[in-house]
Amino acid sequence: MMSPPLGLYLHIPFCRQRCDFCAFYLEIHREGRAQAFVQSLIQEIGLSAQQHIAAGRPIQSVYIGGGTPTVLATTQLIAILSGIRTHLALASDCEITVEAHPSTISEQDLVQLLQAGITRMSFGAESMEDGDLARIGRPGAVCETVTAVTQARAAGFTNISLDLMYGLPGQSLEGWQRTLAYCLTLEPTHLSCYALTVEEDTRLASNIQRRRSPAPDEGLQIEMDEAAQRMLGDAGYERYEVSNYAKPGYACRHNLLYWTNGEYLGLGPSAQSYLDGTRFGNVADLATYDTSLAENRLPIADRIRLPEEEQLRDAVIFGLRLIQGIPTHRLHQHAANYGHAAITARLLAQQLIEEDGERSRLSARGRLQADTIAGQLY
């Protein structure tokens, strides 16, 4: 019997600065701290291989995210990859993604990453209008995204993704459509389009509270979501998840693991894992992380074994994000397990969840409220 796919996520906790909307765990990049972290991460890879991974079980996807992985030197990223290959078994067709801020990478870096076995680059564009970037405190300029995509293709990358956000302060429907049209001229194989959400304790939340920035307009975000589906669909992209579009054959295999309740190991500060029905997460503190690994201890902060009904709950909540949805009987079994029949009935009556034959999925409005709906079904 074949083992189910296994993914590996590595959290690189550094950025040059924090964007206004960002709530992820990160630290401002300093070379000394970065070098110590790389050593800790390679140590964690080795310890994890001994303690977590079934012998010989191949890893189908590796995702290096953050933070901004490419604030590390390319030699440091290659050392991390070497550590992975030393201690873990990668499938021959393993998808290996690196996230990058366009201003932090050169064509030489891209050539070296491709030679080191990276198969997929994901650039955080956010918008293709400089005014939008300024209003969310995102450093850099649109021209850097264009340069990065052009250089990645020249280096030999054939799988290139762009991350975008919509519903930004001051962004119009027309501005969002211009961003999409501009991206299409760059011909990425994958596009992620995220509705702006306001996270607690971010500069954006503070700006909205102080009325320095407008709160996201749900009605406008719905129009923007519909515009993305129409424009990207017409251009040959398949929408396969709430926020994700891909050319045929280019859906992100790693992220599909999350949405299909697959198994993955997360390494680095704050990274989360799901293995053999158990969820566990690392400490969200770089100093504690480094200290733990210096003492040859995995930096795990919490661990919970999920009973079968909780595994079904997570499969329902994550699976609803997929455009194909989930089997309807799973939704109603989950509702029965948790006494959620009334909540599920209300979501259906409000047309936030749609039932179509034997499958259930989020509606257009539901997709914008995916996190809220997940909270109600939890």
Side-chain angles (χ1 to χ4, degrees):
M1 181 176 169
M2 285 183 62
S3 299
L6 178 67
L8 176 65
Y9 173 77
L10 296 99
H11 185 74
I12 309 300
F14 298 112
C15 281
R16 289 180 177 170
Q17 70 182 64
R18 182 183 287 278
C19 298
D20 292 358
F21 56 83
C22 178
F24 289 115
Y25 172 69
L26 62 87
E27 302 281 348
I28 301 305
H29 178 262
R30 300 285 183 272
E31 184 49 47
R33 299 172 83 186
Q35 187 56 43
F37 161 74
V38 170
Q39 295 305 315
S40 295
L41 182 59
I42 293 171
Q43 171 82 346
E44 187 186 12
I45 292 167
L47 280 178
S48 296
Q50 295 169 24
Q51 299 185 31
H52 290 317
I53 305 293
R57 185 173 172 189
I59 291 173
Q60 306 293 323
S61 61
V62 176
Y63 196 102
I64 304 176
T68 307
T70 48
V71 296
L72 294 183
T74 299
T75 51
Q76 292 174 323
L77 288 171
I78 292 171
I80 292 167
L81 277 169
S82 178
I84 293 169
R85 288 198 171 93
T86 297
H87 296 287
L88 303 171
L90 299 188
S92 58
D93 63 343
C94 186
E95 172 193 87
I96 307 178
T97 301
V98 170
E99 287 184 343
H101 184 295
S103 71
T104 61
I105 199 158
S106 69
E107 186 163 358
Q108 183 182 5
D109 294 327
L110 288 158
V111 168
Q112 291 173 346
L113 289 174
L114 185 75
Q115 290 172 345
I118 302 300
T119 65
R120 184 174 181 272
M121 290 300 303
S122 179
F123 294 111
E126 315 314 345
S127 172
M128 300 302 284
E129 302 215 328
D130 285 326
D132 288 341
L133 301 179
R135 287 190 293 272
I136 57 172
R138 189 274 203 185
V142 168
C143 61
E144 292 170 335
T145 298
V146 177
T147 298
V149 173
T150 304
Q151 290 181 340
R153 194 163 280 122
F157 280 97
T158 56
N159 194 351
I160 299 171
S161 180
L162 293 176
D163 278 6
L164 301 172
M165 298 176 72
Y166 61 92
L168 304 176
Q171 186 182 41
S172 65
L173 176 61
E174 293 73 24
W176 170 238
Q177 290 170 322
R178 286 194 299 270
T179 277
L180 290 169
Y182 200 159
C183 285
L184 289 174
T185 68
L186 300 177
E187 299 184 320
T189 45
H190 187 281
L191 282 158
S192 296
C193 302
Y194 298 106
L196 176 67
T197 56
V198 182
E199 303 287 350
E200 290 183 18
D201 300 322
T202 60
R203 187 174 291 132
L204 177 63
S206 174
N207 287 344
I208 290 171
Q209 187 177 10
R210 297 177 185 182
R211 302 197 174 178
R212 293 177 179 171
S213 289
D217 179 331
E218 184 183 310
L220 178 58
Q221 285 187 326
I222 289 173
E223 290 184 67
M224 290 174 164
D225 178 62
E226 291 170 344
Q229 180 159 313
R230 182 178 62 254
M231 290 177 67
L232 298 180
D234 288 348
Y237 293 81
E238 297 173 353
R239 186 178 200 171
Y240 66 97
E241 189 268 347
V242 166
S243 305
N244 285 275
Y245 299 80
K247 290 282 192 180
Y250 287 96
C252 179
R253 274 190 270 159
H254 186 80
N255 285 342
L256 279 169
L257 278 180
Y258 299 143
W259 303 315
T260 56
N261 215 34
E263 295 192 317
Y264 50 90
L265 176 66
L267 306 179
S270 79
Q272 302 297 304
S273 302
Y274 179 55
L275 288 174
D276 192 28
T278 299
R279 290 202 183 281
F280 53 96
N282 281 352
V283 293
D285 180 85
L286 183 57
T288 306
Y289 173 85
D290 284 342
T291 298
S292 180
L293 286 158
E295 296 170 355
N296 220 35
R297 289 184 292 108
L298 286 173
I300 295 170
D302 56 83
R303 183 192 302 269
I304 183 168
R305 174 80 183 172
L306 300 184
E308 282 190 18
E309 62 267 21
E310 291 186 24
Q311 293 184 46
L312 174 62
R313 174 199 65 196
D314 288 357
V316 165
I317 288 170
F318 292 123
L320 280 173
R321 295 186 62 88
L322 293 167
I323 297 306
Q324 67 184 24
I326 58 173
T328 294
H329 71 85
R330 284 191 164 193
L331 175 64
H332 292 286
Q333 179 60 54
H334 165 67
N337 287 348
Y338 282 85
H340 282 348
I343 293 171
T344 302
R346 185 176 73 248
L347 292 169
L348 287 163
Q350 293 172 337
Q351 298 183 325
L352 295 172
I353 294 178
E354 300 172 338
E355 290 188 350
D356 175 17
E358 297 181 353
R359 299 195 74 80
S360 300
R361 61 183 59 83
L362 297 178
S363 66
R365 275 201 316 126
R367 288 194 291 268
L368 279 179
Q369 299 178 37
D371 291 344
T372 302
I373 292 168
Q376 292 175 13
L377 291 174
Y378 196 78

